[in-house]
Amino acid sequence: MKLKNILSGVACTLVLSSCNWDYHEYSNYGKDYVQETYDNVIGMVTNIYAMLDYDFGQTYSGGMLASACDEAEYAYPSNDICDFTNGSWSPSNPMSSIWTSSYKGIQACNQYLAEFQGLTFDELKLNDDYRAQMFRYHNSFKEARFLRAYFYFNLARAYGDVPYFTEMVSTDQVNSLTRTPVQEVFDAIIEECDQLYEELPADYTQLGLDGISPAESGRVTRYAALALKARAALYAASPLFNTDNNQELWKRAAEANKAVIDTCTKYGFKLGKYTELWGADNWTNKEMIFVRRYFVNGGDNVLEGYNFPMGVPGGKSGNCPTQNLVDAYEMKATGKLWNEEGSGYDPANPYEGRDPRFAMTIVKNGDTKWPSKNSDPIETFYGGLNAEPLSGATPTGYYLKKYLDSAIDLSANSTTKKARHSWITYRLGEFYLNYAEAVFKYTGSADNPSEFNMTAREAVNVVRDRADVKMPLLAAGLTPDAFWAKYQNERMVELAFEGHRFYDLRRWKDGDKLKSITEMKLTKNADGTITYERNVVNRTWNEKMYLFPIPQSERLKNPNLDQNAGW
């Protein structure tokens, strides 16, 4: 895991401003320099925060994980993300920096916990905010423990069994480690989160300390610890990792996710409007438990540049929603899918009357003011302004809207070219769905709460009853198969493009759904009507792809790292 590089990079820190959560790099110095000042020490933890993952296309040259599953198709088949779907990934092309980046973060946490405790910063004692500064310092070690657990979750989710250690290790030691069983890794994460829930603050602004500002919202809280525990418990119970369907793991997952719901709602978290989940200020949303504050020089336009429609100034297309995702949006009046009897679907007007989250997430033919400065309606029919045969135009008939800032104008003379984006790491809506899944799998019913005071169906209905969604509530009496289909569909819709679907299909062992996607090809007729034709595109999938391959470069250094099956 390239330990020498990890150790040398740990001291390259980022300083946290007391008034915001922007990141500022400074030079690479060693341990002695870091210990010289308070800012240098705290900067190490800020640097580790900067290692948190987000899926705005930064890893795969614009590609999001949505384009590696059935949510989207990348407009350019030569893009890196397409190696997930064309069979080109392998141990020598492992398609991820998760292994290296996670262990870099873990080793940084281990070093910080081992080498930087016990400092007093005497030069600050006469400062008015000394108590606040020392609180930040002491709290930073709890934050480091959370971040370490977070990185381990990412590793376990992707690779299954992984080497687990909580002390600094030498190059020789790291190159002799063996893989720890994944359930033990999940157990360790859950145990750490239980402790951190008791130790981390709930609200940094309510500590009575001068100098603690709202910017501290960028730091992890006890609620984030609950959330990490709950997600880890859900994955531990899922078929990919819970191979003998141990029902106690489902019970633990139900309890953990219910704890997130109960605790967060008690202290003011709530579901609001779906459209307010993104935007420059989404980190202030009452639903957010923890977000990855992605601020670079006041903002950027990378996400928009990659995903604004081809044919719009500065737009390069990119992650184009599939017809599979469009089909998941039910009819608002009936709560039925387009192909269910009595749904009210009109094939001549296929987008009318759909779940409101469709229009909030996806750009379709005929949409206006997307982005805001675009005076022309979007045309995705063949030969249209934003359509094939233009190179890079959407192959699916749709463009992405969710997470993008419509106000950004990428034309040459524009002055509104930047926006701030924050990646949703944990939000309350996820945990209603997580709980619904876990309690359903534990009880075998959508309506039987067993020892719980909320049924699986009721939990899903909380999500469907959002202020700007208001979909028909799921009725009582659904069969287990019918509820499970409704649940999976609801999760695909609610969490679209938030990085869940890629892993959900794997932990459920539903890989067959990754064997193909469906595009919608539009043709404009002479009378102005549109003809819609479905086009199925095959993709490469086999069982080994449930887990990532361990990079061959790591196995060459450490022969104790057995490769995942099939790779």
Side-chain angles (χ1 to χ4, degrees):
M1 58 189 70
K2 302 179 182 177
L3 184 66
K4 290 182 179 178
N5 292 338
I6 291 173
L7 289 174
S8 64
V10 163
C12 182
T13 59
L14 301 171
V15 177
L16 171 64
S17 167
S18 63
C19 61
N20 58 47
W21 195 238
D22 287 356
Y23 300 124
H24 303 284
E25 292 192 54
Y26 69 85
S27 300
N28 186 1
Y29 295 98
K31 174 186 172 184
D32 291 342
Y33 175 84
V34 170
Q35 290 188 135
E36 282 185 7
T37 72
Y38 171 87
D39 282 345
N40 294 353
V41 173
I42 294 298
M44 283 197 64
V45 178
T46 308
N47 188 41
I48 301 171
Y49 273 103
M51 299 178 191
L52 291 173
D53 56 304
Y54 56 100
D55 190 21
F56 287 146
Q58 76 289 349
T59 302
Y60 302 107
S61 303
M64 301 168 72
L65 283 181
S67 291
C69 64
D70 58 353
E71 287 181 312
E73 178 180 5
Y74 205 75
Y76 304 90
S78 60
N79 184 268
D80 293 345
I81 199 72
C82 299
D83 285 358
F84 278 115
T85 60
N86 63 22
S88 296
W89 61 321
S90 67
S92 58
N93 177 30
M95 283 302 295
S96 174
S97 61
I98 295 173
W99 186 278
T100 300
S101 62
S102 296
Y103 278 117
K104 179 179 179 181
I106 288 164
Q107 189 67 347
C109 292
N110 287 343
Q111 181 184 17
Y112 187 73
L113 290 163
E115 295 186 347
F116 293 95
Q117 300 199 54
L119 304 177
T120 59
F121 306 106
D122 292 344
E123 72 278 7
L124 301 179
K125 286 185 176 179
L126 297 180
N127 292 357
D128 291 340
D129 63 350
Y130 180 69
R131 287 182 61 237
Q133 299 288 62
M134 290 307 293
F135 165 80
R136 284 196 188 96
Y137 168 68
H138 292 301
N139 193 68
S140 68
F141 297 101
K142 303 164 190 174
E143 297 171 71
R145 287 163 49 203
F146 171 92
L147 294 167
R148 181 175 61 190
Y150 179 91
F151 293 130
Y152 270 123
F153 171 80
N154 282 356
L155 284 163
R157 176 176 64 176
Y159 299 99
D161 302 349
V162 293
Y164 183 87
F165 55 95
T166 57
E167 305 290 338
M168 285 191 66
V169 291
S170 67
T171 302
D172 289 340
Q173 289 172 320
V174 78
N175 287 335
S176 63
L177 293 171
T178 57
R179 299 173 69 181
T180 301
V182 67
Q183 288 294 348
E184 293 183 23
V185 178
F186 284 134
D187 287 347
I189 293 168
I190 289 169
E191 181 180 0
E192 182 76 284
C193 289
D194 280 336
Q195 296 177 22
L196 289 169
Y197 175 72
E198 301 296 332
E199 299 174 17
L200 282 166
D203 185 341
Y204 287 84
T205 66
Q206 301 298 316
L207 298 172
L209 295 171
D210 293 336
I212 297 292
S213 76
E216 306 298 333
S217 62
R219 298 188 182 279
V220 294
T221 64
R222 63 176 52 182
Y223 307 116
L226 275 183
L228 174 55
K229 171 187 174 178
R231 192 185 285 179
L234 181 73
Y235 272 73
S238 298
L240 180 60
F241 304 111
N242 183 14
T243 55
D244 58 357
N245 195 27
N246 181 347
Q247 288 296 291
E248 289 304 305
L249 293 182
W250 284 116
K251 181 181 180 181
R252 180 177 70 173
E255 291 171 341
N257 283 279
K258 189 60 162 56
V260 175
I261 295 169
D262 291 345
T263 304
C264 287
T265 54
K266 179 179 178 181
Y267 291 102
F269 293 80
K270 61 182 180 180
L271 274 61
K273 292 183 177 180
Y274 193 70
T275 50
E276 293 176 355
L277 292 173
W278 57 95
D281 297 322
N282 72 329
W283 60 276
T284 66
N285 189 297
K286 291 292 186 180
E287 185 174 342
M288 298 303 171
I289 297 172
F290 182 60
V291 299
R292 202 284 194 186
R293 303 283 296 281
Y294 176 51
F295 292 173
V296 180
N297 297 324
D300 68 10
N301 56 35
V302 173
L303 185 63
E304 288 73 21
Y306 278 132
N307 293 287
F308 273 171
M310 182 61 62
V312 170
K316 296 191 291 289
S317 189
N319 301 279
C320 301
T322 59
Q323 187 63 38
N324 307 61
L325 178 58
V326 172
D327 287 344
Y329 293 94
E330 301 167 343
M331 304 303 294
K332 182 169 175 58
T334 62
K336 294 184 177 182
L337 293 173
W338 68 281
N339 57 353
E340 291 184 276
E341 185 177 354
S343 68
Y345 173 78
D346 179 1
N349 297 286
Y351 311 123
E352 293 298 317
R354 304 295 279 265
D355 182 329
R357 288 171 291 187
F358 168 70
M360 301 170 192
T361 304
I362 296 172
V363 180
K364 69 181 189 309
N365 182 66
D367 281 355
T368 57
K369 296 296 182 181
W370 185 260
S372 298
K373 297 295 184 180
N374 181 25
S375 58
D376 298 312
I378 295 296
E379 296 179 349
T380 60
F381 53 83
Y382 189 85
L385 292 173
N386 316 100
E388 297 172 321
L390 287 175
S391 176
T394 173
T396 66
Y398 309 101
Y399 288 102
L400 176 63
K401 179 181 289 186
K402 185 173 178 177
Y403 264 127
L404 276 62
D405 191 327
S406 178
I408 285 182
D409 181 3
L410 298 179
S411 58
N413 59 352
S414 169
T415 58
T416 57
K417 291 190 177 223
K418 290 185 178 182
R420 289 185 165 187
H421 302 85
S422 294
W423 176 255
I424 301 170
T425 305
Y426 305 121
R427 64 176 174 93
L428 187 56
E430 174 198 340
F431 296 93
Y432 278 102
L433 295 174
N434 291 356
Y435 168 77
E437 178 178 341
V439 77
F440 169 72
K441 291 293 186 180
Y442 176 59
T443 66
S445 169
D447 293 303
N448 179 6
S450 187
E451 62 264 49
F452 300 95
N453 61 3
M454 179 188 292
T455 68
R457 179 180 59 84
E458 289 168 341
V460 172
N461 282 340
V462 171
V463 174
R464 293 172 68 86
D465 199 35
R466 282 181 172 278
D468 57 350
V469 174
K470 297 295 182 183
M471 287 296 292
L473 303 184
L474 300 185
L478 291 173
T479 66
D481 286 347
F483 174 78
W484 182 241
K486 284 287 188 184
Y487 169 79
Q488 287 187 305
N489 195 79
E490 185 67 26
R491 191 174 178 95
M492 186 178 191
V493 166
E494 175 69 17
L495 301 178
F497 291 92
E498 293 183 33
H500 291 274
R501 181 75 174 174
F502 177 92
Y503 289 105
D504 282 344
L505 291 176
R506 284 168 164 77
R507 67 181 180 84
W508 291 332
K509 301 205 75 174
D510 272 353
D512 283 352
K513 293 180 180 178
L514 297 172
K515 288 183 175 180
S516 67
I517 58 164
T518 301
E519 305 167 334
M520 183 61 79
K521 300 299 185 182
L522 287 71
T523 303
K524 188 174 184 179
N525 303 312
D527 61 0
T529 60
I530 301 292
T531 297
Y532 303 88
E533 183 179 356
R534 290 168 177 262
N535 180 55
V536 175
V537 177
N538 292 324
R539 287 178 164 180
T540 299
W541 168 263
N542 58 56
E543 295 285 306
K544 68 182 181 182
M545 296 177 183
Y546 280 119
L547 293 173
F548 283 62
I550 295 177
Q552 184 64 21
S553 58
E554 301 301 327
R555 297 189 67 234
L556 289 173
K557 290 180 289 186
N558 182 0
N560 292 329
L561 292 177
D562 296 329
Q563 184 58 273
N564 279 327
W567 291 108

